[in-house]
């Protein structure tokens, strides 16, 4: 069977026009594929075409070379002295310096050991301005401060009792005497500059004895207390004693 299929030459084609038709069809397809991009240019990427068609910019020019360095001019100063000997100049200078010597101040006359700026007739070795001007004078002492006199002082009760001018004895309350109540009523008082009682504050005392003691003490009069020659107020303590024997 295989021999009849591949060996026998009856299966070979005898139509060359089919080969030619196939070749022409393939050539037509290639031409169509080449012409379509040339006809429909709007569908092609514009940026890619531009990069293909536009030439790249030229490279920047190279930087200019640095300017040549200016040659250093070395000024040769001619030597005027050589081995301690004056040398004659080789060229005549254009300008000649004129040396002008300043005049010396006139000599001042003085004595041996004197001080410049001293007074004629002064002692040798003296001090400028003299001894009185050289020694600094001491500043005068400040005036003594005037101490302000206080307006109120505190004095003990026994001391202030000696200045009592007018003393009113308190009346013993009958109710307290019947109840046989006795004791001491103590006040804190401010004696004015005129010696009268101005402020009377109770410290201790029996209630039945307080009013009688307050009524009597408020009428007391003291001698004005002087401090540095001026009357002042006095804060003191006043005791009023109540006994059944009085």
């Amino acid at each position: 069977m295989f021999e009849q299929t591949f060996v026998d030459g009856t299966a070979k084609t005898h139509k060359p026009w089919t080969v030619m038709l196939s070749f022409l069809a393939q050539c037509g397809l290639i031409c169509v594929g080449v012409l379509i991009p040339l006809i429909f240019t709007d569908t092609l990427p514009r940026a890619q075409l531009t990069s293909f068609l536009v030439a790249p910019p030229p490279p920047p020019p190279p930087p200019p070379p640095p300017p040549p360095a200016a040659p250093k001019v070395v000024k040769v100063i001619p030597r005027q002295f050589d081995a301690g000997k004056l040398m004659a100049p080789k060229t005549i200078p254009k300008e000649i310096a004129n040396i002008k010597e300043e005049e010396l101040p006139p000599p001042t006359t003085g004595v041996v050991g004197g001080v410049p700026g001293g007074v004629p007739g002064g002692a040798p070795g003296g001090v400028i301005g003299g001894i009185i001007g050289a020694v600094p004078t001491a500043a005068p002492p400040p005036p003594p401060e005037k101490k302000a006199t206080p307006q109120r002082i505190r004095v003990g009760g026994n001391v202030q009792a000696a200045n009592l001018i007018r003393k009113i004895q308190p009346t013993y309350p009958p109710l307290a005497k019947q109840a046989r109540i006795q004791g001491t009523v103590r006040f804190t008082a401010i004696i004015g500059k005129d010696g009268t009682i101005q402020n009377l504050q109770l410290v201790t005392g029996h209630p039945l004895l307080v009013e009688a003691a307050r009524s009597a003490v408020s009428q007391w009069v003291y001698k004005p207390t002087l401090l540095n020659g001026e009357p002042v107020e006095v804060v003191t303590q006043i005791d009023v004693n109540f006994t059944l024997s009085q």
Side-chain angles (χ1 to χ4, degrees):
M1 180 179 63
F2 289 102
E3 292 178 358
Q4 293 178 357
T5 303
F6 294 99
V7 177
D8 192 3
T10 59
K12 295 180 180 179
T13 180
H14 298 283
K15 298 177 181 179
W17 59 272
T18 57
V19 177
M20 183 61 64
L21 182 60
S22 176
F23 177 74
L24 292 176
Q26 294 177 6
C27 290
L29 291 175
I30 293 173
C31 292
V32 170
V34 173
L35 291 176
I36 286 176
L38 298 178
I39 295 172
F40 302 97
T41 57
D42 296 338
T43 58
L44 296 177
R46 188 178 301 275
Q48 189 175 2
L49 290 176
T50 304
S51 63
F52 289 157
L53 298 177
V54 178
K72 295 183 180 180
V73 179
V74 180
K75 187 176 181 181
V76 179
I77 300 175
R79 294 186 301 173
Q80 296 181 358
F81 293 91
D82 188 7
K85 296 181 180 180
L86 182 63
M87 300 289 294
K90 296 181 180 180
T91 56
I92 299 175
K94 295 180 180 180
E95 296 180 0
I96 300 175
N98 187 13
I99 301 174
K100 183 179 179 180
E101 297 182 357
E102 297 181 357
E103 297 181 358
L104 298 177
T108 56
T109 59
V111 296
V112 179
V115 180
V119 181
V127 182
I128 298 176
I131 298 177
I132 298 176
V135 178
T137 58
E145 296 182 358
K146 184 178 180 181
K147 296 182 179 180
T149 303
Q151 298 296 323
R152 184 179 296 175
I153 61 175
R154 180 176 291 274
V155 179
N158 297 330
V159 176
Q160 191 65 18
N163 297 327
L164 186 59
I165 300 175
R166 179 185 176 187
K167 183 178 180 180
I168 305 299
Q169 291 293 338
T171 302
Y172 210 115
L175 185 60
K177 185 178 289 187
Q178 292 177 5
R180 304 189 63 80
I181 296 174
Q182 60 182 358
T184 302
V185 180
R186 179 170 295 174
F187 297 99
T188 298
I190 296 177
I191 302 174
K193 296 180 180 180
D194 57 352
T196 59
I197 302 295
Q198 295 184 356
N199 190 6
L200 198 62
Q201 299 292 335
L202 176 64
V203 179
T204 59
H206 197 278
L208 295 178
L209 304 176
V210 170
E211 291 301 326
R214 186 189 300 274
S215 178
V217 172
S218 60
Q219 301 179 37
W220 291 4
V221 178
Y222 290 83
K223 181 180 178 181
T225 303
L226 300 178
L227 182 63
N228 297 329
E230 297 181 4
V232 294
E233 295 181 350
V234 176
V235 180
T236 187
Q237 180 178 308
I238 300 175
D239 294 338
V240 180
N241 298 320
F242 290 87
T243 59
L244 293 175
S245 59
Q246 66 182 26

